[in-house]
Amino acid sequence: MLVSMKEILDKARAGGYAVAAPNIDNEHNARMCIEAAEELNSPIILGVPYYATADIELLGRIVREMALTSKVPIALNLDHGATFEHCVHAIRAGFTSIMVDRSKLPFEENVAEVKELVKIAHAVGVTVEAELGFVGSAHDYEVDGYSGLTDPDEAVRFVEETGVDCLAVAIGTAHGMYKGEPYIRFELLQELADKVPVPLVLHGGSGTGPENLKRCAEIGIEKVNLSTELKQNMIDELERSDTSGFGIYSVYRYLGKGYKDKLIENIKILGSQDKAKEWQ
C-alpha cells in the first residue's frame, strides 16, 4: 500500500522503533526492498536521489504501481532535494514525500526555503523532511563528524517556523562508509528526542554499526537512511558467486540477493519487523 511518510513515521515514533529508508535507483532494487519488507511484514521508505535515475517520473510510476499492490505500507521519498524544481518535479512524479535539503544555508535561509515547499507539499498531502545541522561525508569524518551538530533549541524553532513533518539531525554520522566506527552523540540525540515534536531522521546509516543503530532507534530516531552498505553488499555477493558460463545470466539475481540480505539485516536491527500489522 502506498502511504505518506508522515503516517509511517508517526506510528514509528509512537511505537518506539525506526524504519529503514534504502536508496533506490531502478526497478530491480525497488523490488528487492519491497520483497524484504513483505517478508518481514515491515513498513519501508524508498528514497530516490534526484540524479540517481535518468527519468524520475518513469521511476515514480513504476514504484508507485508496485507499492499500490504491496501488502505493506510504502512511502516514496525524494532524497536530498537540492532545488525548488527538483522537489516540485518529485511531487508531480507521484512521490509521497520530499526531503528539502538546505542544510548548508544559514538558519534563516534554510527556514525560508523549506517553509515555501512545505506549503506546496502539504497542499497535496505530501510529507516534508528537512535537515538542520550538517551530515557530511565519511571520507572527511575527522572534520564532518565533529562539526555542524544539531542544536536542540534551534531544532525546536526550525520545526515551529517551517511546519516540517520530520527532521534529519546531525549527531555524529556521515554519508558513505567510515574507516572506523563513528562517534554518535547519544546524549544529544536524547535531548533532541525530548524537545523536538516531530520524528527524527538519521542520515549516514551505512557503517554506523548494529549496536549504534539499535540504540538510536530506541532513543528517538524514526527513519534511517541506507545506501552505501547495501550497494557494497551487492558487489560482495557478486564476487562470492560463480558467474562463469551460464551463471552470467544470474548477475541480477546475485546483486539483488546482496542488496536484499543487507536490508533485511537492518530492518531487524531497527525494530520495524511485523509493524506493518498496524495497517492490516
Side-chain angles (χ1 to χ4, degrees):
M1 64 195 80
L2 184 68
V3 302
S4 73
M5 192 164 76
K6 176 176 170 55
E7 183 178 342
I8 290 176
L9 296 186
D10 284 350
K11 286 183 182 294
R13 186 176 177 90
Y17 60 90
V19 177
N23 268 184
I24 63 167
D25 49 30
N26 58 62
E27 176 189 349
H28 188 68
N29 50 30
R31 285 189 183 278
M32 294 303 101
C33 290
I34 294 173
E35 285 183 14
E38 288 181 339
E39 287 178 19
L40 296 182
N41 201 31
S42 170
I44 197 162
I45 298 161
L46 305 181
V48 182
Y50 189 85
Y51 289 115
T53 173
D55 189 337
I56 198 168
E57 291 196 32
L58 176 59
L59 184 60
R61 290 197 299 272
I62 292 170
V63 177
R64 279 179 61 88
E65 185 63 29
M66 289 193 288
L68 286 167
T69 57
S70 174
K71 64 180 181 181
V72 298
I74 299 169
L76 180 57
N77 179 50
L78 174 69
D79 192 25
H80 292 286
T83 70
F84 179 90
E85 290 77 13
H86 290 178
C87 292
V88 172
H89 197 178
I91 293 171
R92 189 176 68 183
F95 283 52
T96 62
S97 65
I98 56 170
M99 181 198 178
V100 184
D101 186 359
R102 304 295 182 269
S103 57
K104 293 182 180 180
L105 295 179
F107 182 87
E108 297 299 341
E109 291 179 42
N110 190 347
V111 166
E113 294 197 19
V114 170
K115 185 176 181 179
E116 180 182 29
L117 279 158
V118 166
K119 184 176 181 179
I120 294 168
H122 282 183
V124 289
V126 171
T127 301
V128 179
E129 171 189 341
E131 181 175 320
L132 187 67
F134 178 63
V135 180
S137 169
H139 294 295
D140 299 313
Y141 190 71
E142 291 183 0
V143 175
D144 290 352
Y146 293 83
S147 62
L149 299 177
T150 304
D151 178 270
D153 293 328
E154 278 195 346
V156 172
R157 182 183 160 203
F158 185 87
V159 171
E160 289 175 349
E161 293 189 17
T162 61
V164 291
D165 302 289
C166 57
L167 186 67
V169 293
I171 57 171
T173 58
H175 296 102
M177 292 294 284
Y178 311 93
K179 293 179 181 178
E181 196 165 296
Y183 171 40
I184 308 300
R185 279 65 163 192
F186 291 109
E187 290 183 4
L188 173 58
L189 173 57
Q190 185 66 68
E191 187 177 358
L192 287 163
D194 290 342
K195 290 184 175 182
V196 179
V198 297
L200 301 178
V201 177
L202 187 74
H203 283 245
S206 292
T208 298
E211 291 305 315
N212 282 337
L213 288 182
K214 184 174 185 294
R215 190 174 174 190
C216 284
E218 291 171 347
I219 293 174
I221 290 291
E222 281 77 37
K223 170 178 177 268
V224 175
N225 284 28
L226 299 162
S227 182
T228 306
E229 73 175 24
L230 302 180
K231 294 175 174 64
Q232 183 60 55
N233 209 52
M234 290 169 63
I235 295 169
D236 293 345
E237 182 65 31
L238 185 61
E239 290 177 344
R240 289 190 293 264
S241 304
D242 181 10
T243 58
S244 60
F246 287 105
I248 198 69
Y249 293 103
S250 298
V251 165
Y252 286 109
R253 178 166 59 83
Y254 297 138
L255 291 171
K257 182 179 186 303
Y259 185 102
K260 181 178 171 182
D261 286 351
K262 181 57 68 172
L263 178 56
I264 284 174
E265 179 184 313
N266 278 282
I267 290 172
K268 291 178 178 178
I269 290 167
L270 298 176
S272 66
Q273 185 173 3
D274 293 325
K275 300 301 183 182
K277 63 186 178 184
E278 298 179 38
W279 283 264
Q280 295 164 348

